[in-house]
């Protein structure tokens, strides 16, 4: 029960799912070392094979969730310009937008991307955020759900079978390492790690009806459609570098 810090960074032992080696280095620092010796060429070849299989004759090949920030901008640009994919970008509107955030998103979209902006029911968002804060210490729990559920719903509606998120925060920053060598993640991984395992309980506690929950709902009734969708992180295929992404987006 002793609280301590990583010997190499500022990660704390209280971080969920974190682990440490005999040196006292957290698994984020271990991954940072491991990345230097990974065969990234083989992962790029894996990416090319995935893209070849998922390229379609439809309007879009994939979705990239974006906020107007550095990471989504970088990933969307790479897929569109380096790999020739037809990219749809999607945003779930957060409960508290900043002016600079809105301006960045508009500038990104105006640089030449198709974009869908969804505003989930704000009363439902507030209720889920409050319950998430009380139960999980997460004051934006409803919005956290929506950045996955909204994107999945848009994918189903548009028959898109490939979604690229940025980095896997569990792997990059200290958490579960279960997926560090897996290209794809599934709904179970999402709920267990990103939603801290209590998604169904919090949804039920909210007392919200099906209409209010539509953009927050990842339910079993959608499983057949969801199982067709491949969810992945760009950080699996290329060494993740947030500062590089920032410089790129800024330019």
């Amino acid at each position: 029960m002793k609280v301590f810090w990583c010997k190499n960074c500022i990660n704390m032992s209280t971080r969920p799912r974190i682990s440490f080696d005999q040196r006292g280095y957290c698994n984020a620092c271990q991954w940072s070392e491991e990345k230097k010796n990974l065969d990234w060429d083989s992962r790029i070849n894996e990416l090319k094979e995935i893209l070849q299989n998922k390229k379609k004759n439809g309007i879009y090949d994939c979705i990239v969730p974006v906020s107007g920030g550095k990471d989504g901008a970088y990933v969307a640009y790479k897929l569109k310009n380096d790999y020739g994919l037809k990219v749809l970008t999607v945003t779930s509107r957060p409960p508290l937008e900043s002016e600079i955030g809105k301006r960045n998103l508009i500038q990104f979209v105006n640089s030449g991307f198709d974009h869908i902006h969804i505003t989930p029911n704000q009363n439902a968002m507030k209720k889920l955020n409050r319950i998430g804060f009380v139960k999980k210490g997460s004051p934006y729990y409803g919005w956290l759900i929506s950045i996955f559920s909204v994107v999945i719903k848009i994918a189903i509606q548009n028959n898109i079978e490939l979604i690229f998120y940025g980095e896997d925060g569990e792997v990059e920053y200290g958490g579960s390492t279960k997926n560090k060598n897996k290209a794809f993640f599934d709904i179970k991984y999402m709920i267990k790690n990103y939603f801290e395992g209590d998604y169904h309980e919090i949804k039920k506690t909210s007392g919200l009806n099906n209409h209010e929950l539509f953009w927050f709902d990842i339910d079993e009734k959608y499983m057949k459609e969801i199982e067709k969708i491949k969810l992945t992180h760009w950080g699996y295929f290329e060494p993740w570098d947030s500062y590089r992404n920032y410089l790129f987006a800024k330019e």
Side-chain angles (χ1 to χ4, degrees):
M1 298 300 293
K2 182 181 178 182
V3 175
F4 58 92
W5 280 260
C6 172
K7 297 292 185 182
N8 193 53
C9 76
I10 58 172
N11 257 337
M12 288 181 67
S13 58
T14 54
R15 184 181 176 91
R17 298 171 295 282
I18 199 168
S19 60
F20 297 83
D21 64 13
Q22 67 277 8
R23 300 171 298 172
Y25 280 32
C26 71
N27 50 358
C29 289
Q30 295 170 51
W31 175 241
S32 181
E33 294 174 328
E34 189 177 339
K35 284 197 294 186
K36 296 174 183 177
N37 299 309
L38 269 182
D39 181 4
W40 290 104
D41 288 339
S42 68
R43 292 199 174 192
I44 287 295
N45 290 333
E46 187 178 355
L47 171 65
K48 290 177 180 177
E49 185 176 344
I50 291 167
L51 298 183
Q52 189 63 40
N53 291 333
K54 286 298 179 183
K55 276 191 175 182
K56 301 165 67 177
N57 294 322
I59 299 174
Y60 299 109
D61 298 313
C62 71
I63 288 178
V64 177
V66 298
S67 65
K70 63 193 187 309
D71 299 332
Y74 176 79
V75 174
Y77 183 93
K78 293 283 286 186
L79 286 166
K80 178 183 176 183
N81 293 280
D82 290 5
Y83 292 94
L85 264 67
K86 294 168 287 187
V87 177
L88 175 64
T89 59
V90 176
T91 302
S92 173
R93 193 182 305 277
L96 294 173
E97 290 182 290
S98 66
E99 289 304 314
I100 193 170
K102 288 189 282 188
R103 189 161 66 248
N104 284 345
L105 181 59
I106 290 168
Q107 289 177 335
F108 164 76
V109 173
N110 288 345
S111 71
F113 287 90
D114 289 4
H115 179 249
I116 292 177
H117 205 161
I118 297 293
T119 305
N121 184 302
Q122 291 298 286
N123 289 333
M125 177 85 77
K126 289 175 183 178
K127 185 167 282 191
L128 291 166
N129 283 346
R130 185 182 188 281
I131 297 169
F133 180 51
V134 171
K135 286 185 173 291
K136 308 301 297 181
S138 175
Y140 61 99
Y141 193 87
W143 183 67
L144 174 65
I145 293 169
S146 75
I147 64 175
F148 292 95
S149 56
V150 161
V151 175
I152 289 171
K153 286 283 177 67
I154 295 295
I156 292 171
Q157 291 170 358
N158 291 276
N159 195 29
I160 301 170
E161 297 180 356
L162 185 59
I163 299 173
F164 279 91
Y165 284 88
E167 80 278 41
D168 186 342
E170 293 290 300
V171 176
E172 295 292 336
Y173 310 127
S176 172
T177 57
K178 178 182 176 181
N179 267 32
K180 71 176 183 178
N181 293 313
K182 294 181 180 179
F184 301 113
F185 66 101
D186 58 19
I187 300 300
K188 290 182 180 178
Y189 181 83
M190 181 193 305
I191 290 174
K192 181 179 179 181
N193 296 297
Y194 298 149
F195 301 168
E196 300 291 346
D198 287 338
Y199 164 71
H200 293 293
E201 180 188 339
I202 288 175
K203 190 174 71 168
K204 184 177 180 180
T205 302
S206 73
L208 297 165
N209 62 41
N210 290 337
H211 179 73
E212 293 168 317
L213 282 169
F214 178 78
W215 290 112
F216 304 96
D217 192 15
I218 306 172
D219 202 272
E220 285 75 13
K221 62 187 174 186
Y222 301 112
M223 277 305 162
K224 284 187 178 179
E225 291 90 345
I226 291 173
E227 285 171 357
K228 297 177 185 176
I229 301 169
K230 295 293 186 181
L231 297 148
T232 188
H233 297 97
W234 184 260
Y236 172 82
F237 303 104
E238 182 181 277
W240 189 253
D241 186 339
S242 294
Y243 187 65
R244 171 206 60 201
N245 298 354
Y246 154 70
L247 294 175
F248 177 87
K250 182 180 178 183
E251 184 177 343

